[in-house]
Amino acid sequence: MRRVPILAGIFINYRTDSNPGHFQRLLELRAVLEEVFGEGSVFLDVRSIDAGGDYPPWIRERLDDAQIVLAVIHPGWREALLGRMASGGLDWVRDELRIAFENGKVVIPVLVGGATHAEWDDLPPDLALLSRRQGRRLEGRADAEALAEELTLQYDEGFEQFPPERTGSSEPRRGAKYLVAAAVVLGIAAGRAGMPLLGELTAAYSVLAMLAWCVVVSVMFALRKGVTAAEQVVHPLSWRDYNLRVGVPIGFLFILFAAFLLAGATDPNLLGFVLSAFALITTGQVAVLLLRSRRLQQRRLDHWPMALSTPVTAIALRADMARLDHRLLEWERNGKRLPFALRVRCRAAIEDLRRGLRLLARDGRRSRLRWALADHPVRSAVVASWFAATMAPGSLRPLGIALALGAVGLAVELSYRHQRWVRWAVAREVRNHTNELRSRWSVLERRRS
């Protein structure tokens, strides 16, 4: 994929001579480099300076921008350099190299036309560093392509990590506790107002619903290890495979389950209408969620690695880990060293993972109240209002009150322990896998193509 950087990161330093073949090699090299690094990334004066442009400011500006300077050396290059020095004339070739060394640029000798190392031995003091630089030979397009590939290991494309999708806090918002308090007051008022109409039977049904909720939460808590292990397997899958194997089956089973519940609680005359409406609404919601999931995943792939969103979720952290694993696996298979740009991106992804697992483990240590108000303020308000409305009429017997208190208390406690266990388990998993990914990244970073 071609990249179009803002600055000309590769500067070609050369001396015009009588052999036209040498300049054709330069044009071919420039074309190959632009294919790899993008248009505007390579500076060659006769092709990069506008007609009538002031030569010295252009040269100084592009040298400042450059990351890599290619010193093209042909037979007779040293003799021409010393001749210019003896005559005292202006020599931009020498000045460009001197400025490059003073500014700490990467300078690479490139030999054309059969030039040898003797061409850059015993140079003036301001160019003495050139004789210690490893050079490369340029005799055809194959050499130009090999040089371009090697330069990708040193070329910095100016990577700047894409900002996160959201930046929130894992602490309760200021109005969360007031929302729950208002829900309790509203529940008490609703329970008192509806007491003559609803009576003890409705309160009993409410307690049964609380018991059913408690049973569902208990089952989820009991299956937490299996569910977490299954998610560990499916998260590396592509968006399409994940939804085909996980999202669609779960959504279909949910629709069937809800339909059977409605069938038992709805007037048979209205059953077909209710089920059709419910299925239509639920299908629409599932489709919207799937499309949104695809859009977000594609966005994270296009801008990889995006900064980790906060509060950190176990699913997002695992997904980021899978993306890094996939990138490293690609380069492990092709047997080449990581390019500079990819090394920088992998380093950013690893740092994000390490930061994310620390935040995830920290959130697992929150108190029950902080967790409920921060992660589930609306649900907490609904449960509090529901419980208050059930208890307010005073129509329940002591056994019913005890069952309601036990069901809600156990459901909340198990939910709290479930999320804490998942956060800690995923944090341990990510920590171990991140250490492995870092080791693999270090191996690739040291590898030579």
Side-chain angles (χ1 to χ4, degrees):
M1 182 177 65
R2 300 183 68 178
R3 304 184 296 272
V4 184
I6 298 175
L7 304 178
I10 301 176
F11 186 101
I12 298 180
N13 165 271
Y14 73 100
R15 186 184 300 281
T16 304
D17 70 334
S18 58
N19 189 335
H22 297 163
F23 188 70
Q24 290 302 317
R25 293 280 183 271
L26 293 186
L27 295 179
E28 188 174 45
L29 174 62
R30 175 177 178 267
V32 170
L33 292 175
E34 287 198 334
E35 288 178 6
V36 175
F37 298 102
E39 297 177 2
S41 62
V42 184
F43 178 81
L44 181 66
D45 55 4
V46 295
R47 291 292 187 270
S48 303
I49 299 179
D50 295 336
D54 192 4
Y55 192 86
W58 271 87
I59 293 295
R60 293 190 180 93
E61 182 180 349
R62 293 302 177 237
L63 272 175
D64 287 340
D65 296 341
Q67 302 168 26
I68 300 170
V69 175
L70 302 180
V72 179
I73 298 174
H74 57 77
W77 181 87
R78 180 175 178 274
E79 181 180 351
L81 175 72
L82 297 179
R84 287 291 184 95
M85 290 179 58
S87 65
L90 181 64
D91 187 0
W92 274 106
V93 172
R94 179 186 178 187
D95 287 345
E96 289 168 3
L97 292 176
R98 175 181 54 78
I99 294 172
F101 284 124
E102 288 176 354
N103 294 338
K105 308 295 183 181
V106 177
V107 181
I108 302 175
V110 178
L111 308 180
V112 297
T116 66
H117 194 282
E119 291 291 345
W120 74 92
D121 277 341
D122 192 22
L123 294 175
D126 55 353
L127 301 184
L129 287 175
L130 188 63
S131 62
R132 295 159 50 185
R133 300 299 172 97
Q134 179 66 39
R136 290 290 181 264
R137 188 165 297 279
L138 177 64
E139 300 298 341
R141 185 175 179 87
D143 293 332
E145 291 174 349
L147 178 59
E149 181 180 354
E150 187 173 5
L151 293 183
T152 62
L153 304 178
Q154 305 180 48
Y155 187 83
D156 180 5
E157 61 180 5
F159 164 69
E160 183 177 351
Q161 195 167 17
F162 207 76
E165 295 168 0
R166 65 178 187 279
T167 53
S169 172
S170 57
E171 295 299 316
R173 295 183 179 180
R174 181 176 300 179
K177 57 184 178 181
Y178 300 111
L179 174 64
V180 175
V184 171
V185 173
L186 181 63
I188 293 174
R192 292 287 187 183
M195 181 172 58
L197 299 176
L198 302 179
E200 185 176 352
L201 184 60
T202 302
Y205 278 131
S206 180
V207 173
L208 288 176
M210 293 178 187
L211 290 173
W213 173 42
C214 182
V215 170
V216 172
V217 173
S218 301
V219 172
M220 293 176 59
F221 182 77
L223 298 177
R224 67 190 185 282
K225 293 184 179 180
V227 172
T228 302
E231 288 179 346
Q232 183 179 1
V233 174
V234 300
H235 269 298
L237 298 176
S238 66
W239 175 87
R240 180 177 177 274
D241 291 339
Y242 179 84
N243 285 310
L244 284 178
R245 300 182 187 185
V246 181
V248 172
I250 290 178
F252 181 71
L253 290 176
F254 173 75
I255 292 173
L256 287 181
F257 177 71
F260 280 117
L261 288 181
L262 286 174
T266 309
D267 184 349
N269 296 327
L270 299 176
L271 182 59
F273 173 77
V274 172
L275 289 182
S276 300
F278 176 79
L280 182 62
I281 294 173
T282 305
T283 303
Q285 290 178 337
V286 171
V288 170
L289 289 174
L290 291 179
L291 291 174
R292 183 173 181 270
S293 173
R294 182 178 185 180
R295 180 181 61 82
L296 292 177
Q297 186 185 34
Q298 189 60 48
R299 185 167 179 258
R300 296 194 70 85
L301 287 173
D302 293 341
H303 301 290
W304 183 84
M306 287 182 61
L308 195 64
S309 298
T310 53
V312 178
T313 64
I315 293 177
L317 199 60
R318 269 180 166 160
D320 280 358
M321 186 173 64
R323 292 187 190 97
L324 175 59
D325 193 358
H326 180 69
R327 297 285 177 139
L328 293 177
L329 187 60
E330 287 180 345
W331 284 87
E332 287 171 339
R333 288 173 176 170
N334 67 24
K336 297 181 180 180
R337 189 185 179 199
L338 284 175
F340 182 91
L342 191 56
R343 298 205 306 270
V344 173
R345 291 173 181 271
C346 288
R347 184 186 298 115
I350 290 173
E351 291 303 317
D352 260 354
L353 287 176
R354 296 174 68 179
R355 172 174 169 265
L357 68 89
R358 289 195 300 268
L359 294 176
L360 196 67
R362 184 201 67 183
D363 289 348
R365 292 191 291 268
R366 292 175 298 177
S367 66
R368 291 161 179 79
L369 183 61
R370 287 170 57 201
W371 158 74
L373 294 181
D375 289 4
H376 309 289
V378 176
R379 293 181 186 177
S380 299
V382 170
V383 171
S385 180
W386 175 22
F387 184 79
T390 303
M391 297 293 105
S395 57
L396 284 177
R397 297 178 181 179
L399 179 60
I401 296 175
L403 288 175
L405 284 173
V408 173
L410 183 59
V412 172
E413 179 65 19
L414 290 179
S415 297
Y416 170 75
R417 290 179 177 273
H418 179 268
Q419 63 83 29
R420 184 177 65 176
W421 184 90
V422 169
R423 280 186 164 97
W424 287 356
V426 173
R428 287 193 300 269
E429 173 195 331
V430 173
R431 181 181 294 108
N432 295 333
H433 200 175
T434 299
N435 292 335
E436 175 195 343
L437 293 174
R438 188 176 180 85
S439 299
R440 290 164 55 190
W441 169 70
S442 299
V443 171
L444 289 173
E445 191 177 26
R446 294 191 298 267
R447 179 186 289 174
R448 287 289 178 185
S449 63

